[in-house]
Amino acid sequence: MLERAQKFLRRFEVLPFVAPGLVLLCLFVLWPLLQGLRISFYDWSIMPGAEQKFVGLANYSRAFHDPVARTALVNTLIYVVVTVPGQMFFGLLVALGLNAAIRGRVLLRSLYYIPVLTSWVVVSFIFKYLFMGGEAGPVNYLLQNVLGILEEPVGWLQDRWTAQVPITTLGIWKGIGWNMIMFLAALQSIPREIYEAAAIDGASRFQVLWRITLPLIRPVLLFVMVMLTIGGFSVFISVNLLTGGGPMDSTQVILSYMYDQGFKYFEFGYGFALAALLGLVIFAISRLQFRYMKNEIDM
Amino acid sequence: MKRCRKLLALAVVVALALTLAAAGCAKEPVAEEVTLTFWHTYNTDSNENKVLMETLIPAFEAKYPHIKIDAVVQPYDGLHDSLIAAVAGGMAPDLMRMDIIWVPEFAELGALEPLDDYPGFDELAESVFPGPLSTNLYKGKHYGMPLNTNTQVIVYNPEFLQAAGLSEPPATIEEFKAYAAEFTGQDGKYAFAPGGPYPWAMLPWFWSLGGRITNDDYTQASGYLDSDASVAALETMAQFTKDGCWAPTLLGGQPGTWDGFKAGNYGAVLEGPWFFAILQSELGDKMQGAPVPAGPGGSLSVVGGENIVIFESCRHKDAAWKFIQFMLSDEAQIAMAETGQMPVTFSASESDVMKEVGYYGPYIEQLKTALPRTPVPAWNKIDKILNDAFESVFRGVASAREALTQAAEEIDLLLGE
């Protein structure tokens, strides 16, 4: 009993240290979140002091009947399914390469990390330029005039499916550096003796990778996967700037569609309902992933 | 205890300070100095901004020494979003020069001040063109005044006309077809380069070819947008695309309309007077404006321009109204006309300036018949519906009749709200 009380009191002792963070969290994360949830049940007017009309679940049922919302969900899923393994694959590849004792690896590590640090807005504009339609677009020029793969230039951003190429390429390219850092840290924590033992046993390089390295960094792989999945569902800036959801809403993702609803059409209630649904999807998927992870890690 | 006393002392000091401040306020003379924030979209380094900052605002401030104008340049891209954020956050400007198509939308929101009851409104309303004035109307009240107007005409590259053996730009759709048949993409040359499938670029063609969006009261689209005449108009436009006389710029092809026109790829573009104002020094007489070729609907273009509005949250509305009156005076309207902003008052448009600026001719002519985009709060959504309907036809996804019938149904719902 006494122990319990002490434990409880100790919580208050740390309060001064966590309070600033807690206050900020409530102010800038929890309060807006609750406010957003509330708005999703209204036909919300943004005018300060305006009378708000309660519409119950109307915004939610609308989302289930909206064909564009469906397109947006599918596009978001495509983005997650392509970019999460893509980033992990290339991130691991680079990490394995840079884990070896090669010359200039500090420099290379910094170089691979630069895309992570650059602004989404800036690189989106650069990709927009690279994937410009017509013969003047650098990617088209490369594929058509230099490599001779294309017969005629592609209007990359003018079609739902070709537009996925720049959008997902950008997502993968920008994420490699972060994956690399995570995997490098994990790789360096593997004791050298295990590799030495494997070498003595005559394991091939592939066997070492498959049977030693990957199983040992599995917790990190799973953690990275969860984080990337959450990030992938929240894709917004690149889509908004590359295609703006067009042509004809065919490249919308959930967040870009939500943004359009709010800021183009003043449908803030519907926008927040979409956001809430997306939040629910992310929450469910991360829960599943974490549960799986827990079982795996409690070896 | 000691701490308590300190606190008490502090409280007393604060209370005293507040009383003093309040007393000070009360004694202040009534004609206090007022600063009005004015958002506009004149480009920072444009002549328009120069005239505003160096001529007009100083003249206004000299006339009303107690009113200061804080003019803020806003980039048009993303302005709609930042304005919404500003309105929602109670940080809206006092005055704004706003795209005419936004006024009903923000009026419906309750963000704008109706101007009908301000002193001198009636005289001012009578001094401006009724067309641009009507774009401020929402539920019987005016939520702004027109500030400048414009429309689009076809701007030709004279070399294309010569190559087609024409001495004059095509006046009718039939003449345009004959001209356009000469340039269908050979050597990258196209007869005309549309800006995109969006209504601002498409409506002049759609209307001139006989299409319509709604009835005259803007209450119904079915029976108008999906009529045989509208379907035929859109089919003709799709045919232009198929035949290659319209450049792929329609669906985002490169080079863009301005670059391609300058490089001699495109024989014509649909543009406003700013096209001449900006490119005059570069292209000189290599551009020639002419009204939209007349079809079954006549020669109809689309009205553009800006209105000046007072926000509901403005705390000095009387001072703001004085600024509106000043911006519609001959002095301001004529000064702006010299920079390429077409005036909205009768007196200014009859002034000599209009004749001096050579390229105004076809625009003045075109404005006589130009039509507004449906002036309802839901225009932003209608704009998108029309864009998608046109685009789906140009891409061959839907037939003109399918696309327009569906669009008409969707627009009917919005007009009924």
Side-chain angles (χ1 to χ4, degrees):
Chain A
M1 188 64 210
L2 188 72
E3 210 171 288
R4 215 180 227 187
Q6 258 177 348
K7 227 176 185 177
F8 187 71
L9 279 178
R10 204 171 302 148
R11 289 218 174 138
F12 280 93
E13 271 171 35
V14 299
L15 195 64
F17 301 98
V18 294
L22 216 58
V23 168
L24 289 177
L25 181 81
C26 291
L27 211 62
F28 293 108
V29 178
L30 286 181
W31 191 78
L33 197 76
L34 292 175
Q35 189 72 3
L37 271 179
R38 187 164 83 94
I39 290 176
S40 72
F41 295 105
Y42 285 83
D43 182 4
W44 190 265
S45 163
I46 57 159
M47 286 304 292
E51 208 174 293
Q52 305 297 355
K53 200 170 128 211
F54 185 77
V55 295
L57 290 171
N59 287 324
Y60 288 89
S61 79
R62 180 175 159 194
F64 285 101
H65 296 104
D66 184 344
V68 181
R70 205 168 307 146
T71 313
L73 181 65
V74 171
N75 287 339
T76 312
L77 286 172
I78 292 176
Y79 184 83
V80 171
V81 168
V82 175
T83 59
V84 173
Q87 291 178 71
M88 290 177 71
F89 175 77
F90 287 108
L92 190 62
L93 206 67
V94 175
L96 286 170
L98 293 185
N99 196 34
I102 55 166
R103 207 188 269 185
R105 64 178 177 169
V106 176
L107 178 73
L108 282 173
R109 275 179 206 174
S110 321
L111 284 180
Y112 276 108
Y113 201 68
I114 284 179
V116 183
L117 300 175
T118 45
S119 132
W120 274 99
V121 177
V122 173
V123 291
S124 295
F125 279 123
I126 293 175
F127 268 65
K128 190 167 188 175
Y129 166 72
L130 290 177
F131 283 90
M132 202 166 71
E135 290 173 9
V139 171
N140 277 340
Y141 180 81
L142 183 76
L143 293 179
Q144 189 188 0
N145 300 359
V146 180
L147 300 176
I149 298 172
L150 292 179
E151 296 269 312
E152 50 186 71
V154 175
W156 291 102
L157 302 171
Q158 297 304 319
D159 175 85
R160 178 177 181 188
W161 305 114
T162 56
Q164 303 303 324
V165 176
I167 292 172
T168 51
T169 312
L170 171 55
I172 293 174
W173 172 79
K174 201 165 179 325
I176 291 176
W178 185 78
N179 284 266
M180 173 200 72
I181 291 287
M182 300 299 288
F183 294 144
L184 258 180
L187 288 177
Q188 290 183 344
S189 70
I190 301 176
R192 203 149 273 285
E193 295 79 28
I194 301 179
Y195 288 116
E196 282 163 8
I200 292 167
D201 290 345
S204 73
R205 279 177 99 175
F206 180 77
Q207 279 174 322
V208 169
L209 175 70
W210 197 249
R211 307 214 174 239
I212 299 176
T213 311
L214 287 183
L216 282 176
I217 63 167
R218 193 174 186 125
V220 176
L221 284 173
L222 286 169
F223 170 76
V224 165
M225 188 176 75
V226 174
M227 298 314 282
L228 291 183
T229 307
I230 294 175
F233 273 107
S234 345
V235 57
F236 168 63
I237 300 176
S238 53
V239 174
N240 193 4
L241 292 177
L242 282 172
T243 65
M248 296 188 285
D249 284 331
S250 64
T251 62
Q252 294 279 19
V253 288
I254 296 282
L255 285 190
S256 64
Y257 189 52
M258 175 205 86
Y259 183 83
D260 277 3
Q261 288 300 329
F263 284 89
K264 260 197 198 143
Y265 310 133
F266 296 146
E267 301 262 8
F268 279 89
Y270 185 46
F272 274 112
L274 286 171
L277 288 173
L278 178 68
L280 220 64
V281 171
I282 296 180
F283 183 72
I285 290 183
S286 339
R287 269 308 289 251
L288 276 178
Q289 287 178 327
F290 265 115
R291 180 172 294 174
Y292 176 68
M293 199 158 104
K294 220 173 175 185
N295 295 341
E296 286 284 319
I297 295 170
D298 291 348
M299 280 180 287
Chain B
M1 193 59 216
K2 206 171 178 188
R3 194 183 278 173
C4 262
R5 207 178 293 162
K6 259 190 188 162
L7 267 178
L8 189 72
L10 188 70
V12 170
V13 170
V14 170
L16 262 176
L18 283 177
T19 345
L20 280 176
C25 275
K27 272 180 206 155
E28 200 82 13
V30 189
E32 69 197 302
E33 190 155 289
V34 165
T35 301
L36 298 173
T37 316
F38 172 50
W39 283 15
H40 63 79
T41 46
Y42 302 117
N43 285 333
T44 313
D45 42 6
S46 66
N47 266 333
E48 297 135 28
N49 195 36
K50 208 171 145 201
V51 168
L52 177 75
M53 299 307 290
E54 291 172 13
T55 313
L56 296 183
I57 290 181
F60 177 77
E61 288 176 348
K63 202 169 166 191
Y64 301 99
H66 68 289
I67 308 177
K68 295 269 170 285
I69 301 291
D70 178 16
V72 185
V73 178
Q74 296 285 347
Y76 186 83
D77 282 337
L79 180 56
H80 192 260
D81 299 1
S82 44
L83 184 61
I84 290 175
V87 168
M91 298 293 287
D94 298 306
L95 285 149
M96 180 168 171
R97 171 182 181 261
M98 177 187 274
D99 195 325
I100 53 171
I101 51 178
W102 295 359
V103 175
E105 187 184 8
F106 281 90
E108 187 197 33
L109 202 59
L112 303 182
E113 171 79 359
L115 303 177
D116 303 70
D117 297 333
Y118 280 80
F121 172 83
D122 292 335
E123 296 96 90
L124 202 58
E126 276 165 26
S127 74
V128 298
F129 295 131
L133 179 68
S134 72
T135 61
N136 292 288
L137 213 53
Y138 171 68
K139 291 208 168 150
K141 285 198 167 164
H142 293 87
Y143 286 83
M145 289 301 284
L147 187 59
N148 54 270
T149 186
N150 61 53
T151 185
Q152 299 182 100
V153 302
I154 311 272
V155 184
Y156 290 92
N157 178 341
E159 286 168 11
F160 276 65
L161 295 177
Q162 274 165 20
L166 296 173
S167 53
E168 290 285 313
T172 65
I173 287 288
E174 294 313 316
E175 287 176 36
F176 177 82
K177 281 181 183 165
Y179 148 79
E182 303 279 323
F183 310 100
T184 54
Q186 316 91 321
D187 308 327
K189 284 191 193 300
Y190 294 89
F192 174 78
Y198 44 85
W200 171 249
M202 288 293 111
L203 288 178
W205 293 99
F206 186 65
W207 283 331
S208 299
L209 286 164
R212 301 211 33 198
I213 306 176
T214 64
N215 56 356
D216 291 337
D217 303 333
Y218 311 116
T219 52
Q220 200 185 341
S222 289
Y224 300 89
L225 184 58
D226 53 1
S227 69
D228 290 344
S230 293
V231 171
L234 185 51
E235 278 170 351
T236 307
M237 291 154 70
Q239 196 60 42
F240 283 146
T241 315
K242 228 177 265 167
D243 293 345
C245 34
W246 275 12
T249 49
L250 180 66
L251 299 174
Q254 300 288 337
T257 53
W258 285 45
D259 288 338
F261 186 84
K262 285 195 276 186
N265 291 325
Y266 305 144
V269 288
L270 182 71
E271 282 291 349
W274 52 81
F275 190 77
F276 286 91
I278 294 171
L279 293 181
Q280 209 163 30
S281 55
E282 197 174 332
L283 291 179
D285 56 3
K286 283 193 183 153
M287 39 186 186
Q288 181 179 357
V292 178
S299 167
L300 301 173
S301 192
V302 55
V303 180
E306 272 81 17
N307 294 330
I308 183 166
V309 299
I310 301 177
F311 279 84
E312 179 269 336
S313 55
C314 169
R315 284 186 299 147
H316 308 286
K317 296 195 176 78
D318 291 327
W321 171 246
K322 289 202 173 75
F323 186 65
I324 291 186
Q325 287 176 308
F326 173 78
M327 289 301 278
L328 287 171
S329 65
D330 278 354
E331 178 187 3
Q333 288 279 307
I334 289 174
M336 276 299 182
E338 284 168 356
T339 69
Q341 296 284 323
M342 297 185 72
V344 290
T345 59
F346 289 104
S347 52
S349 49
E350 280 153 17
S351 71
D352 294 338
V353 176
M354 300 304 287
K355 286 159 215 150
E356 281 162 24
V357 182
Y359 53 79
Y360 273 155
Y363 289 99
I364 295 172
E365 191 59 31
Q366 189 82 72
L367 266 177
K368 286 179 185 159
T369 56
L371 299 173
R373 285 157 284 175
T374 321
V376 293
W379 168 255
N380 241 349
K381 287 181 189 168
I382 297 176
D383 188 275
K384 169 93 173 118
I385 293 170
L386 289 174
N387 177 98
D388 289 358
F390 292 160
E391 189 169 353
S392 64
V393 174
F394 296 140
R395 287 180 184 274
V397 182
S399 75
R401 187 170 298 279
E402 285 163 5
L404 291 179
T405 308
Q406 197 199 338
E409 281 168 19
E410 290 173 25
I411 293 173
D412 273 348
L413 288 177
L414 295 172
L415 295 175
E417 269 174 10

